Amino acid sequence: MDPLFDAARVKWLAGVRSYERGVGYVQERRVEPPVERDGRYRAIVRGTVPYVVELWAADDQPRWSCTCPAAEDGSFCKHCVAVALSVLSDSKDSGATQASTLVGGGTSRAGRASIGNDVLSLDVWQRRIDRAFFSPGGFVSYYEAEDWADGIHLMIDSLENLYDVGHPDAVAGLVEHAFRRADESAGYVDDSGGHLIDVTERLSGLHIWACSKGTVEPVELAARLVELELNSELEGFHRAAAEYADVLGPAGIAEYRRLLEPHWRNVGPNAKWSDGSYGVRQAMVGWALATGDPDALIEVHSRGKPGPHDVLDIAVALKDAGRADEAISWAKRCIAQNRGRPGMTDDLRECLSCWLDERGEHAAVVDLFWQAFVAEPSVGRYRRLLDKTPAHDWLERCVGELRTKLASQPRPPADWPPTAHSSPPTLTQPPVPHDATALVEILLFEGLADAAWDAAAEFGCGPTLRLTLARVREQTHPLDAIAVYRAEALEIIGRKRPNHYRSAVDLMARIRRLADTAAEPQRFTMFLQQVRAEHKRKSRLMAEIDERGWPTSA
């Protein structure tokens, strides 16, 4: 890397102006120390917003990338200059080789840690962590969130390096600092993409590794964990006592309960997020799980009405304690109480089926899954029946059950299946029965395409399933598929959302191909003329159609 990114070549690649600005970025300490992995150097440069730079070599030539606008055309920007000079500086400082792969430094209980030949202070690390979570504009939009999270992941990479070189206690404290910054950032980041979840998971995993390898005192750790769990909106320390049980040991677990007790006394039977009592209840559940005592878990859940997931915790704890009869009793009772909502007890049902199988009660297992199918039919529950008893003719039984239930339910609109002249579906049409969707999906799963189409015609099906049927029917009945695509395209256009027009035009292209296959190209031509005539004022739609090069008239 050195000869490919030496100062002279970097200046030649960037030009004088970008080179000088890159030098200024280095002098202003805007470059996080680069991290090398698999021959690629990666670093964050704090410009207007944080930018991610990568440098590497390929075929003995320098290669680079940067997330800034100036580098979109492949230019070697000022951010690339700053990172290249930082790499070059680090490579010439043999005494700081190991430190150059870390963002800052480490900390022990005394507030400092030795890394290589350097001693770096706690506040250096904490400032680096703060900068990683900092947003210059005060808010991180959805479009900026990925780059923002990349900078944080690079910082976490550095914390992992610090852990690898033997500073677990330092890492544990720094991760806690980072987690608090992550929790604060939830108020100024549009996290629709789930980046904070990924960050939280990495920090949580690194923290428990560091605590398990460090010398932290269990009682002290219990206090830190209680504070993190009760004062965070993120779930990185959800039910922490259970996750850290091996590290806490009996003394730490007991301290956990002692610290929670004042909060627990104020929790009523209807715990809510808004008053903070829900978090206390979950912390107590974590403590009870950490003890390994199912009676402690039952005691905690008895403060309110345990739901199916709570009962699952209790049943598993009872089974692990050798109290299988009680575990099965709890599970059966909860499933019976939620018979009309089998989706709430799916996980519990799976556990109960395994325990009944262990006892040879296979008929009870079959009945368990059959009752769930009857209460809430779906192709997933149908497949579960097949898994449990593959030799049984479940197709006939399940289809018969669904047809019996559908016989007394409202029929679909008269224009389904659609024809060449059908109007698009409207919001005023009645919803498709859930049982009808399950029937069509089961028939499709079994490869019975014609039967699935007939069932949809008889009982109806939803928009997504209509398109699936059309795709399946293209080969054998292209005109049926055309009718479905036509109705769907008109429905999309009718929404008057320009960003959806491309999907409608894609369906029109599919209609054209099928019309040619069926030797009836006029079907597409007539439809195209209809769309042009009825929606000519929709300029975005007309532009999408014109891009395809289709004729403007017959």
Side-chain angles (χ1 to χ4, degrees), residues 122-356:
L122 168 64
D123 62 344
V124 171
W125 275 95
Q126 291 181 339
R127 285 198 301 270
R128 302 286 174 118
I129 292 169
D130 293 342
R131 284 200 297 272
F133 284 97
F134 175 69
S135 171
F139 181 79
V140 180
S141 70
Y142 171 81
Y143 300 101
E144 298 169 323
E146 184 172 0
D147 286 344
W148 175 81
D150 281 343
I152 296 171
H153 283 296
L154 190 62
M155 177 271 294
I156 298 174
D157 289 343
S158 302
L159 290 175
E160 289 177 348
N161 287 337
L162 181 59
Y163 171 86
D164 290 339
V165 297
H167 298 279
D169 290 338
V171 169
L174 289 167
V175 168
E176 290 167 23
H177 181 78
F179 188 82
R180 292 185 181 93
R181 298 290 83 79
D183 197 59
E184 293 169 0
S185 69
Y188 62 80
V189 176
D190 181 344
D191 195 38
S192 303
H195 300 293
L196 262 179
I197 296 174
D198 295 337
V199 166
T200 300
E201 288 180 352
R202 285 196 68 192
L203 289 173
S204 299
L206 181 55
H207 188 265
I208 196 167
W209 292 342
C211 290
S212 64
K213 297 296 183 182
T215 59
V216 62
E217 201 275 324
V219 171
E220 176 193 339
L221 177 61
R224 287 156 56 181
L225 291 175
V226 168
E227 187 271 329
L228 287 164
E229 183 168 8
L230 296 187
N231 294 290
S232 172
E233 293 185 9
L234 300 177
E235 294 193 351
F237 291 91
H238 179 69
R239 297 184 177 182
E243 296 295 325
Y244 289 78
D246 292 340
V247 183
L248 289 169
I253 293 171
E255 177 67 3
Y256 215 97
R257 171 63 192 255
R258 189 188 72 79
L259 294 171
L260 287 175
E261 189 61 36
H263 305 278
W264 181 236
R265 284 197 296 267
N266 297 322
V267 174
N270 299 311
K272 298 178 181 179
W273 274 108
S274 57
D275 61 12
S277 58
Y278 178 85
V280 177
R281 183 186 293 280
Q282 292 304 308
M284 282 295 293
V285 169
W287 163 80
L289 290 170
T291 66
D293 180 2
D295 292 322
L297 192 57
I298 293 170
E299 175 200 344
V300 171
H301 282 306
S302 67
R303 185 70 65 91
K305 182 179 179 181
H309 288 92
D310 302 326
V311 173
L312 177 60
D313 288 338
I314 293 170
V316 170
L318 287 166
K319 181 69 164 56
D320 290 345
R323 296 158 63 176
D325 289 344
E326 293 176 74
I328 291 172
S329 177
W330 272 86
K332 284 183 174 180
R333 185 165 58 250
C334 182
I335 290 171
Q337 291 170 349
N338 293 274
R339 191 178 299 278
R341 300 179 298 167
M344 299 285 290
T345 55
D346 279 340
D347 293 339
L348 187 59
R349 184 177 299 101
E350 291 295 334
C351 279
L352 178 57
S353 70
C354 292
W355 300 337
L356 293 175

Side-chain angles (χ1 to χ4, degrees), residues 141 255 423 459 524 535-536:
S141 70
E255 177 67 3
S423 299
F459 301 112
F524 171 72
H535 303 283
K536 60 185 177 183

